[in-house]
Amino acid sequence: GENVEQHPSTLSVQEGDSAVIKCTYSDSASNYFPWYKQELGKGPQLIIDIRSNVGEKKDQRIAVTLNKTAKHFSLHITETQPEDSAVYFCAAKPPNSGYALNFGKGTSLLVTP
Amino acid sequence: GAGVSQSPSNKVTEKGKDVELRCDPISGHTALYWYRQSLGQGLEFLIYFQGNSAPDKSGLPSDRFSAERTGGSVSTLTIQRTQQEDSAVYLCASTTPPSGYTFGSGTRLTVV
């Protein structure tokens, strides 16, 4: 089955700096790659997603890039703010999975003022 | 409702007891998913429903776990004869594909 690896497991940046989280996936047929942000005591919240026919997508300070050949995708957060501190999860959807996602183990991001 | 609602938010149960976890999805969402999140771990897929049917039950950890969905809406995840390793946060999500999931806040289950 699909295996999603996520790095780093923890990331600390200063406010205003950029943060990058990387994920790799094993099933080359996977076609949907969402990113979720989870704050303490809450469920994960979708922040951005990308489909396999697109190489990059941007939404204000957040961007995701996809390299299908290398089977990896990355989340980029620019001009980080303390409220960006949370756990971020990447996921990949294999075909014929009914939209069941395979998640990475998460990255705990800390943005220090 | 406005979001996915899960109840209870917290549940402490004794080893060997049965528990029922409830999920109210967003109205009109056709698909519903259950995931388990253990401390410091990612999200482990358990089961999903399309309408009231569950095409994929492959993620259920053992035959002590079962789930149902009625009326294309509310879903219940039941764990029989709970064990300490069942302690985790159980998350429910709903969607109408190809839109992304909306998760509930989860049920934190502690088996003592």
Side-chain angles (χ1 to χ4, degrees), chain A residues 57-99:
Chain A
K57 184 176 179 181
K58 192 172 182 180
D59 182 3
Q60 299 182 347
R61 297 186 295 109
I62 294 173
V64 57
T65 58
L66 171 64
N67 183 326
K68 286 192 297 181
T69 303
K71 292 189 286 186
H72 68 68
F73 55 114
S74 300
L75 178 71
H76 304 253
I77 307 174
T78 58
E79 301 170 25
T80 52
Q81 301 167 3
E83 52 265 38
D84 294 329
S85 297
V87 179
Y88 291 80
F89 292 95
C90 64
K93 188 194 86 68
N96 306 317
S97 68
Y99 256 73

Side-chain angles (χ1 to χ4, degrees), chain B residues 41-90:
Chain B
Q41 298 296 309
L43 283 72
E44 175 190 5
F45 169 74
L46 298 178
I47 189 171
Y48 94 94
F49 291 89
Q50 182 62 45
N52 291 334
S53 64
D56 187 355
K57 301 180 181 179
S58 62
L60 294 177
S62 74
D63 59 8
R64 296 186 295 105
F65 288 71
S66 63
E68 65 175 12
R69 188 182 185 197
T70 56
S73 181
V74 172
S75 177
T76 302
L77 177 69
T78 300
I79 310 173
Q80 295 179 309
R81 304 181 303 282
T82 51
Q83 304 294 314
Q84 287 186 331
E85 61 262 29
D86 299 334
S87 296
V89 175
Y90 290 81

